[in-house]
Amino acid sequence: MRRFLRDNALSLAFGLLFLLSLAGQAFAGLAAYNDRRLTHAAEPIGLLDYLTSADFAVDVAENWQSEYLQFFLYVFATVWLLQRGSPESKPAGRAGLESDEEQQIGRHSTADSPKWARAGGWRTGIFSMSLGLVMLGLFLLSWLAQSVAGMSAYNAEQLTEFGDPETWFGYLASSDFWNRTLQNWQSEFLAIGSMAVFSVYLRQRGSPESKPVGAPHHVTDESG
């Protein structure tokens, strides 16, 4: 058990932080939701009802989709785009998909290489893009969930104010949907762009996301 905890500490720690923050969001969101209901002279609801509501679903989904969009774009962008001095960037001259030898696929694979990296053909082709494709799929699914839950929450609010409900396509073109979406996207783009630049000049000793403390600023693709 101790070895399992040591070997999986990073994923376990962030999994625990995720659950704790999700629980905190649930209780805080319930309080805010019931405050809004009271302003409309409606009865407050319980935690279970809130967890199964469109309001909770859209708040969760809109954050998930922006996070997966960030990773999808970063995974694909770093194939072609470089940032001199960043440990997150490949060095100059290596932009692109790189050779089979550099990627250790096909006849250049080793006995320890994943099976699909050694298989060749379509299986190696899919496996070679699997990280980005999974991130893209999770982004699209969470964005779809956001749109459906957002439409439901928006229409519920419209009905309380005697407004007309929107269709799904109508909601996709609405300012409410794009306001929810873009306020998350811009923060993700800012954060990842800042990380790419700050990691050129700043250090975090012992972190693989940083260069060694004594590495020159211009050194690229080197982790501490």
Side-chain angles (χ1 to χ4, degrees):
M1 177 60 70
R2 292 180 62 183
R3 182 175 180 179
F4 174 81
L5 293 175
R6 182 199 65 190
D7 291 348
N8 299 278
L10 188 60
S11 57
L12 291 173
F14 275 94
L16 179 59
L17 289 172
F18 163 72
L19 293 175
L20 291 174
S21 58
L22 188 64
Q25 178 187 349
F27 285 104
L30 173 64
Y33 183 74
N34 280 335
D35 284 344
R36 293 197 301 272
R37 287 180 64 86
L38 290 174
T39 62
H40 291 90
E43 291 293 323
I45 64 172
L47 179 62
L48 183 60
D49 289 331
Y50 178 68
L51 291 178
T52 57
S53 70
D55 281 78
F56 180 70
V58 69
D59 287 344
V60 171
E62 71 182 38
N63 285 283
W64 287 9
Q65 59 89 4
S66 65
E67 297 296 336
Y68 285 120
L69 174 66
Q70 174 196 123
F71 286 116
F72 158 67
L73 290 178
Y74 201 60
V75 165
F76 276 99
T78 50
V79 174
W80 303 98
L81 305 180
L82 308 176
Q83 178 63 55
R84 185 173 185 265
S86 173
E88 301 290 326
S89 170
K90 294 189 291 187
R94 286 185 57 191
L97 299 178
E98 303 179 4
S99 67
D100 289 357
E101 183 177 4
E102 289 173 312
Q103 289 294 308
Q104 300 177 29
I105 58 178
R107 63 187 180 89
H108 301 288
S109 61
T110 67
D112 294 331
S113 296
K115 183 178 180 180
W116 278 36
R118 293 184 274 114
W122 64 270
R123 286 178 294 179
T124 297
I126 291 177
F127 186 67
S128 67
M129 297 187 296
S130 56
L131 179 60
L133 291 175
V134 167
M135 291 299 174
L136 174 60
L138 291 172
F139 160 65
L140 293 175
L141 288 174
S142 53
W143 203 24
L144 176 63
Q146 177 199 339
S147 69
V148 173
M151 178 193 67
S152 179
Y154 179 80
N155 285 339
E157 186 175 344
Q158 285 288 95
L159 291 175
T160 61
E161 299 176 356
F162 306 101
D164 295 325
E166 281 281 7
T167 64
W168 183 66
F169 286 107
Y171 181 68
L172 286 181
S174 71
S175 58
D176 183 82
F177 175 73
W178 285 104
N179 178 55
R180 286 180 174 274
T181 298
L182 293 173
Q183 68 179 333
N184 285 280
W185 287 8
Q186 55 86 13
S187 63
E188 301 300 337
F189 297 153
L190 175 64
I192 204 165
S194 300
M195 180 63 179
V197 175
F198 290 161
S199 62
V200 176
Y201 303 103
L202 306 178
R203 309 287 189 269
Q204 181 59 55
R205 184 172 181 171
S207 173
E209 302 303 314
S210 167
K211 293 182 290 189
V213 177
H217 293 322
H218 64 79
V219 171
T220 308
D221 187 33
E222 183 175 335
S223 297

